[in-house]
Amino acid sequence: MHQWIVPIAFIIVGLCLGLIGEKVIFKKLRKFVVDQQIPGGEIIFHALHRMTFFWFLLAGFSGAFFYSSVDINDDIKNLLRKKITILFVFSVTLVLARLTAGFVNLLIERTEGVSASLISNLAKIGIFILGTLIILQTVGVQITPIITTLGIGGLAVGLALQDTLANLFSGFYLIISKQVRTGDYLKLDNEYEGYVTDINWRNTTIKEIKNNVIIVPNSKLASAIFTNYHLPGKSITLTMDVGVGYDSDLEQVERVTVEVAKEVMEEIAPELMDNEPNIRFHTFNDFSIDFKLYMRVNEYFDQRIAKHLFIKKLHKRYQQEGIQIPFPIREVYVHKVGSENSGLDLN
């Protein structure tokens, strides 16, 4: 019985140290890092969550195994040693995958408009593949033939998954070229439009104003004709067509219209007031003199509220100033032909 005292003691010590490390030391260090706002600290502690307990417990079992005086078969010893090594390597791989994904996300968050899901997921997959190869090498499996086989098999898989790989590389192209970024407002050639919410390994997700979601394969988006209303900048020029009556004073029309446009800009885009609105007369129409208004707004979606406010304010101001906004009127003149000419008595 005394042969089991040392192994059991190692396991109990490992268990106690794991609980103390997880419940006491780990929590205090985490609180300190959060209070001091150390960059990346939260990512590190998230990656190490539960791992301190697991590693101390694993160390206890390792000590119990290596320092035990119990007579154990060599095959069993080798099997236990391999299992302990596999568990340790797997836990380290898991921590590295969490750290990689966390820091990739942190880096991408500081880069405006870059999608995190595609890059972080690929980074995690790469870490897991590397960890798996190390585990296989640890248990005595030769990985060189496996890598060679994977290389040859990759050609066949690549042919079978052409669409998937096309979407994957198209996603990389969209991200690297920065033609499409998360948060951008796109309008596709098929009239679909909305905000880009994510670019993953297969699809780009676009959220419409109606709160619907459009799923576009990356390869389709990469080859499509689309308008990105957030490139090269978010602010755009709103244009509106307006017409006034022929008896209007055009100098007064220009002054009043620009004043109203400035009121709207001060309400929705005060930071763009350096770009003053203006109008340009362009057509003598059938019943009106037409002009086009040019006014800056912060982004594409702001056109809706800008048009709404401008029409209300302009209509009210024109009424106050006596400026007429004509509506189509067609005058019809009827020529009465004498009965002696037409043979009809119109009287």
Side-chain angles (χ1 to χ4, degrees):
M1 184 64 184
H2 66 278
Q3 294 178 340
W4 295 97
I5 294 177
V6 174
I8 293 173
F10 269 107
I11 294 173
I12 293 175
V13 170
L15 179 62
C16 293
L17 290 176
L19 291 173
I20 294 172
E22 185 73 28
K23 299 296 183 182
V24 180
I25 300 175
F26 187 83
K27 283 189 175 182
K28 287 185 177 181
L29 286 175
R30 184 171 187 172
K31 185 177 183 302
F32 173 78
V33 170
V34 172
D35 292 340
Q36 298 297 320
Q37 296 182 348
I38 299 176
E42 188 64 28
I43 296 174
I44 295 174
F45 281 100
H46 172 72
L48 294 175
H49 183 61
R50 304 293 185 192
M51 288 300 169
T52 51
F53 172 77
F54 179 77
W55 285 337
F56 274 115
L57 186 60
L58 195 63
F61 275 102
S62 299
F65 170 71
F66 288 112
Y67 295 98
S68 173
S69 59
V70 179
D71 187 20
I72 303 176
N73 186 277
D74 289 339
D75 293 336
I76 297 177
K77 282 185 178 182
N78 291 331
L79 180 61
L80 291 174
R81 185 183 295 108
K82 288 181 180 180
K83 285 187 175 181
I84 291 174
T85 304
I86 289 171
L87 290 173
F88 178 72
V89 173
F90 178 78
S91 65
V92 172
T93 302
L94 183 60
V95 170
L96 291 176
R98 291 175 178 176
L99 287 173
T100 302
F103 281 108
V104 166
N105 288 332
L106 181 63
L107 178 63
I108 290 175
E109 286 174 2
R110 297 178 179 178
T111 306
E112 183 181 359
V114 179
S115 175
S117 62
L118 176 60
I119 299 177
S120 63
N121 287 336
L122 288 176
K124 285 194 291 186
I125 291 172
I127 295 295
F128 276 118
I129 292 174
L130 180 61
T132 302
L133 292 176
I134 293 174
I135 290 173
L136 292 175
Q137 184 73 29
T138 302
V139 298
V141 177
Q142 294 296 322
I143 62 174
T144 303
I146 295 177
I147 295 174
T148 304
T149 304
L150 289 175
I152 298 173
L155 297 175
V157 173
L159 293 174
L161 301 176
Q162 290 185 47
D163 292 340
T164 300
L165 293 176
N167 287 319
L168 177 63
F169 288 111
S170 296
F172 271 120
Y173 169 74
L174 292 172
I175 293 173
I176 294 172
S177 66
K178 295 185 178 181
Q179 293 179 352
V180 178
R181 305 165 301 177
T182 54
D184 286 356
Y185 193 94
L186 298 187
K187 185 173 183 179
L188 307 182
D189 54 359
N190 55 11
E191 300 302 320
Y192 289 119
E193 59 182 274
Y195 288 96
V196 177
T197 58
D198 189 27
I199 303 174
N200 58 37
W201 63 277
R202 184 173 178 81
N203 303 311
T204 297
T205 304
I206 300 175
K207 187 175 183 180
E208 291 185 299
I209 302 301
K210 298 178 291 186
N211 209 32
N212 299 327
V213 173
I214 304 170
I215 306 297
V216 183
N218 292 332
S219 59
K220 298 292 185 182
L221 184 60
S223 60
I225 299 174
F226 61 85
T227 303
N228 189 335
Y229 288 99
H230 283 185
L231 288 178
K234 289 186 178 182
S235 62
I236 65 170
T237 300
L238 164 65
T239 60
M240 289 187 63
D241 290 307
V242 186
V244 294
Y246 272 88
D247 57 349
S248 301
D249 181 349
L250 298 187
E251 295 293 337
Q252 180 192 21
V253 170
E254 183 173 10
R255 174 180 58 80
V256 171
T257 305
V258 170
E259 288 177 358
V260 171
K262 286 182 178 179
E263 291 179 13
V264 175
M265 286 188 65
E266 287 175 353
E267 187 170 340
I268 65 172
E271 63 275 13
L272 299 177
M273 288 303 297
D274 290 341
N275 303 288
E276 292 191 356
N278 59 81
I279 70 170
R280 293 292 182 266
F281 295 99
H282 59 77
T283 304
F284 287 105
N285 217 327
D286 292 340
F287 50 86
S288 65
I289 298 176
D290 295 342
F291 64 88
K292 192 178 291 289
L293 166 75
Y294 301 91
M295 179 174 61
R296 299 288 288 178
V297 293
N298 283 318
E299 66 161 311
Y300 181 82
F301 186 67
D302 288 346
Q303 291 183 106
R304 297 168 180 258
I305 186 63
K307 289 180 179 179
H308 170 76
L309 293 174
F310 179 75
I311 290 174
K312 287 202 310 180
K313 291 178 179 291
L314 188 67
H315 183 260
K316 183 178 180 179
R317 185 69 183 277
Y318 275 8
Q319 286 181 328
Q320 293 173 353
E321 300 287 341
I323 300 173
Q324 295 294 322
I325 301 177
F327 51 87
I329 298 176
R330 190 174 299 275
E331 295 182 357
V332 180
Y333 295 91
V334 179
H335 179 67
K336 183 183 294 185
V337 182
S339 58
E340 66 277 5
N341 296 329
S342 64
L344 297 175
D345 185 3
L346 299 178
N347 297 321

